[in-house]
Amino acid sequence: MSTAPWTGHVTPGGPTAVRVLDEVELRKASVGPMDNNAYLLTCRRDGAQLLVDAAADPDRLLALVREGDASARLDLVVTTHRHRDHVGALASVVAVTGARTAAGADDADAITEATGVPVGRRLHDGDLLVVGHVTLEVVALRGHTPGSVALAYREPEHTHVPGAAPGRVHLLTGDSLFPGGVGRTTTPQDFTSLYDDVVARVFDRFDDETWVYPGHGRDTTLGAERPHLAQWRARGW
């Protein structure tokens, strides 16, 4: 399938958006009736690949995997949370590729119950995932579901440049953070949990240049969203 320049905008049946970074190629595609975003990260040094959310349309996702590596190598599938619109193609993708699986510890059993796929690694806040030569940090964001996780990839620092700033962070947030607010919650307690985690574990840790890749829709940055945190807290969603 052809690719388009990176805009962060994708549509079901449309082309993949591709972003080439120093260490990794990041591909974004939309699948299924719920317009879910799926992300493929490909290590540029050895071709190792990680898929975030095998949400729907296994044929499209397998084509996405082949865009990153023609041999259809897939090392790991990370599921950001348990909701059915994020796991619909998990069984098919794993069966074809033999990829390992990972998900938040508190969502793992529900994912297995829904898909029949055992979760090989149960993730906790601060865990590190290594795929090829690429390392991502797990950020637990509790509230949309108990075991929701985000993944943070930091571009390498340019240590040869005196005074260079730390590398930019790319944050894949599932349904926990979107342009305009945190993800949907069903109780005030869940909202408080999610809001508090998003503030403490995302906005308090990462700078405004951090790029946010959500589970649906367009991208954003922390800089674009930070001025609205108090408004989110006051409205309760």
Side-chain angles (χ1 to χ4, degrees):
M1 181 171 291
S2 63
T3 60
W6 185 267
T7 65
H9 176 71
V10 290
T11 57
T16 303
V18 182
R19 192 169 209 176
V20 180
L21 307 173
D22 286 348
E23 294 183 325
V24 67
E25 292 182 358
L26 188 152
R27 289 174 169 80
K28 177 180 180 180
S30 175
V31 294
M34 299 293 288
D35 194 8
N36 286 73
N37 294 328
Y39 299 93
L40 182 76
L41 281 70
T42 306
C43 174
R44 296 184 65 193
R45 289 180 62 182
D46 71 356
Q49 298 202 117
L50 179 153
L51 179 68
V52 179
D53 284 344
D57 194 348
D59 290 342
R60 175 66 180 96
L61 293 182
L62 291 168
L64 178 67
V65 170
R66 289 192 293 272
E67 289 176 25
D69 184 287
S71 69
R73 172 183 179 180
L74 184 61
D75 298 84
L76 180 65
V77 181
V78 176
T79 302
T80 59
H81 64 287
R82 65 175 67 176
H83 287 160
R84 287 186 177 272
D85 65 309
H86 287 257
V87 300
L90 182 62
S92 295
V93 168
V94 169
V96 171
T97 64
R100 296 175 286 114
T101 58
D106 288 336
D107 277 11
D109 289 342
I111 290 167
T112 299
E113 182 178 352
T115 65
V117 178
V119 174
R121 182 168 176 186
R122 296 172 179 243
L123 303 174
H124 300 86
D125 188 60
D127 285 352
L128 298 180
L129 292 172
V130 179
V131 179
H133 296 270
V134 177
T135 300
L136 301 100
E137 181 181 353
V138 176
V139 182
L141 300 173
R142 302 158 294 184
H144 183 66
T145 66
S148 288
V149 295
L151 298 179
Y153 165 71
R154 186 181 291 276
E155 295 181 55
E157 299 181 29
H158 295 287
T159 55
H160 61 285
V161 179
R168 176 176 49 178
V169 172
H170 298 261
L171 190 65
L172 300 107
T173 57
D175 284 2
S176 292
L177 178 62
F178 293 96
V182 299
R184 178 180 59 83
T185 53
T186 55
T187 69
Q189 293 78 16
D190 286 342
F191 168 77
T192 298
S193 175
L194 180 55
Y195 178 87
D196 287 350
D197 274 0
V198 164
V199 170
R201 297 178 176 181
V202 174
F203 284 93
D204 288 353
R205 290 190 54 210
F206 303 123
D207 66 24
D208 285 354
E209 298 301 311
T210 298
W211 201 274
V212 176
Y213 305 83
H216 303 265
R218 63 181 177 87
D219 302 348
T220 187
T221 65
L222 293 190
E225 306 304 325
R226 194 182 302 275
H228 308 293
L229 286 173
Q231 176 189 353
W232 301 353
R233 173 55 126 173
R235 76 190 184 193
W237 57 273

